[in-house]
Amino acid sequence: CIGCKFTWNKRKYPEDDSSIMAGNSTLTLHLSNLNAGHYEFELVVTGPSKKEGRGTVNVEVHRHLNKGPTANAGPDRDVYLPSGSVSLDGSRSSDPDDGIASYSWERLPDSPAAGAIVNSTDHQQVLQLVNLVEGEYFFQLTVKDRGGLMNSANVRVIVHPVSKSIHDGLFEIAIDKNASTFTENEKIVFLNHLATALGYSSSSMIHIYAVESRLSVVALVLYIMDDSSVRSAVSVVDRLKHLSLDVSVKHGVRDVKVSVARIDSYYCLNNCSNHGRCDPLTKMCICDTFWTENIFKARFGTQTRNCDWNLLYVILAVAAIVFALFLSCWLVRCICARGGICPGSDRRRAPRKRHRYALLKDREESEENIAMLPKGRTMLIQSESEEEVLFDKSATRRNRTRGANGSAPHS
């Protein structure tokens, strides 16, 4: 219709109407934000001669019935240590109408606390976990659609210990490099060098169990399969410690330099003399109460950590040694003093002061001289040969008796 004018009018609508009309003066009307209910719209067409034509259209809006989503956390998983990492895939979750708006992973309370979530993947389709320990984990995935409806699903992760043979054969080599800079090319070159050092024609005998990031180093967890059996980690480590494993070669167009920081068994295989436990990180023995390390065995003997010594016996032994040293010093001093063989013992003893005595001619003169001595003193009588000294006690007693009675001795 050339020169016609179009007008749309809303005649009927629900009570809670909030619809928006666009293009009211055009041939096509656009409606939005309609609520559930019945609408009636009228089109008025005015021609050049001012004549009008009218028509109506009915719109029935039905309330949408949102169907909830279906969560799918994937199948149960089995993990074998020491590779304690796993990825749980929830991408098979679905929603029939609005689509899934969000994902949320949750560790259930009965699961072990160990284990870390990588890069906040607990809010993504795929959950990534590392550093899991032996045990049984349970995770729940909850999905939510754009209509606000939610659904959940659970998944179980069983972390198994390594087999006994592989457990005793695992050893680690710490490379002095950050995990982000240690390349696949460097790993291949190092494994070939390791195989040559051990006398193997190729690195196919050396199996990689895990590659772990440890602060400023990267640890290669390895085991050696020799004639269908796993070699003991203790024997391998003892041999590797006497070899030079640093690599500095030109591989292709690049220089490859790999420096070994540490070599040790992956698991602590020391029983600590059955009197303690072995620290899995430092490989040191933590002894039980009243037990301590035999320092001679740890430093000079087999150089293995242990808990051989009972602390009570050590204290008694130290006390006995100290007492024995003291007694030995005392005996040596006594022998030196008596025998005159010690330095400074050759000095002669000072001679005793020699007393001079007068010889008495006869007994009467002796008694008279004794009587004349002051009270409390005695007289020593020496023979002419000066070999016998006599002490006349009886004369002294008689003298004292007479002095007490006031009589004088007879001449």
Side-chain angles (χ1 to χ4, degrees):
C1 179
I2 299 175
C4 295
K5 181 181 179 182
F6 302 95
T7 304
W8 288 93
N9 298 313
K10 183 166 53 176
R11 299 183 60 182
K12 294 181 180 180
Y13 47 85
E15 293 181 358
D16 58 347
D17 175 50
S18 60
S19 61
I20 300 174
M21 299 172 61
N24 302 43
S25 301
T26 63
L27 187 60
T28 304
L29 175 67
H30 296 277
L31 300 171
S32 63
N33 203 28
L34 297 174
N35 292 329
H38 176 72
Y39 290 84
E40 184 179 297
F41 297 93
E42 179 187 51
L43 174 62
V44 179
V45 181
T46 305
S49 60
K50 305 300 181 180
K51 291 184 179 181
E52 294 183 348
R54 296 175 181 271
T56 59
V57 61
N58 294 307
V59 177
E60 197 74 31
V61 179
H62 300 280
R63 189 176 301 278
H64 172 64
L65 297 178
N66 181 25
K67 294 183 179 179
T70 301
N72 187 337
D76 293 342
R77 301 292 302 274
D78 291 283
V79 179
Y80 294 87
L81 293 175
S83 180
S85 60
V86 69
S87 297
L88 303 179
D89 190 358
S91 61
R92 294 184 180 180
S93 302
S94 61
D95 184 77
D97 39 31
D98 293 333
I100 296 177
S102 65
Y103 296 82
S104 178
W105 292 90
E106 180 185 3
R107 186 187 322 210
L108 298 183
D110 292 337
S111 303
I117 298 172
V118 179
N119 296 332
S120 300
T121 53
D122 54 335
H123 295 290
Q124 300 177 13
Q125 285 184 346
V126 179
L127 173 66
Q128 296 180 1
L129 298 165
V130 295
N131 298 330
L132 300 178
V133 298
E134 179 183 351
E136 193 171 9
Y137 292 80
F138 295 92
F139 293 90
Q140 184 178 78
L141 169 64
T142 301
V143 294
K144 182 178 181 180
D145 67 5
R146 291 181 175 83
L149 298 181
M150 296 184 296
N151 186 247
S152 299
N154 294 346
V155 62
R156 181 178 65 175
V157 178
I158 301 177
V159 182
H160 301 274
V162 297
S163 63
K164 175 64 176 171
S165 59
I166 295 180
H167 178 279
D168 294 343
L170 289 176
F171 63 96
E172 64 179 19
I173 300 178
I175 306 298
D176 193 12
K177 272 199 171 185
N178 192 281
S180 60
T181 60
F182 184 64
T183 65
E184 181 68 16
N185 185 43
E186 291 173 330
K187 184 186 74 173
I188 294 173
V189 172
F190 177 76
L191 291 179
N192 290 332
H193 175 71
L194 178 62
T196 303
L198 291 174
Y200 297 117
S201 58
S202 68
S203 61
S204 59
M205 310 291 288
I206 303 174
H207 299 266
I208 298 179
Y209 206 88
V211 179
E212 300 179 356
S213 177
R214 308 269 186 83
L215 297 177
S216 60
V217 300
V218 57
L220 299 179
V221 184
L222 311 170
Y223 66 95
I224 298 177
M225 185 73 73
D226 191 359
D227 296 332
S228 301
S229 61
V230 180
R231 291 189 58 181
S232 170
V234 176
S235 61
V236 174
V237 169
D238 288 342
R239 184 176 178 185
L240 291 179
K241 286 184 176 180
H242 295 86
L243 301 177
S244 176
L245 299 180
D246 293 345
V247 179
S248 180
V249 297
K250 191 174 186 63
H251 189 263
V253 296
R254 296 183 178 181
D255 293 332
V256 177
K257 293 183 179 181
V258 179
S259 178
V260 175
R262 186 181 66 256
I263 302 173
D264 210 336
S265 59
Y266 184 73
Y267 292 106
C268 192
L269 304 178
N270 192 343
N271 64 357
C272 297
S273 310
N274 296 321
H275 298 301
R277 61 181 180 85
C278 187
D279 189 290
L281 296 179
T282 63
K283 307 300 189 296
M284 302 283 287
C285 282
I286 302 176
C287 297
D288 296 336
T289 307
F290 301 116
W291 291 90
T292 187
E293 185 178 62
N294 181 347
I295 57 175
F296 299 103
K297 181 178 179 180
R299 301 292 189 275
F300 311 108
T302 58
Q303 296 186 353
T304 56
R305 300 297 180 179
N306 60 86
C307 294
D308 284 350
W309 284 352
N310 188 301
L311 195 57
L312 179 60
Y313 293 156
V314 171
I315 294 174
L316 293 177
V318 171
I321 292 173
V322 172
F323 178 76
L325 291 175
F326 174 78
L327 184 61
S328 300
C329 293
W330 183 80
L331 290 175
V332 169
R333 182 177 179 276
C334 290
I335 294 173
C336 291
R338 290 177 178 271
I341 61 175
C342 294
S345 63
D346 55 347
R347 293 178 299 175
R348 297 181 179 180
R349 295 180 181 179
R352 293 182 179 178
K353 187 176 180 180
R354 189 168 183 176
H355 299 280
R356 295 184 178 182
Y357 306 100
L359 296 177
L360 300 180
K361 294 181 179 180
D362 52 26
R363 186 174 184 83
E364 291 181 356
E365 185 178 355
S366 175
E367 290 179 356
E368 183 179 355
N369 291 335
I370 292 175
M372 297 298 294
L373 290 174
K375 184 178 181 180
R377 297 188 61 184
T378 59
M379 172 62 71
L380 295 177
I381 303 174
Q382 185 173 5
S383 64
E384 292 183 355
S385 62
E386 296 184 1
E387 294 179 354
E388 182 180 359
V389 179
L390 300 177
F391 180 64
D392 194 346
K393 295 182 180 179
S394 59
T396 303
R397 283 196 289 272
R398 288 196 302 271
N399 181 49
R400 289 178 179 175
T401 303
R402 292 173 183 173
N405 295 329
S407 60
H410 298 282
S411 57

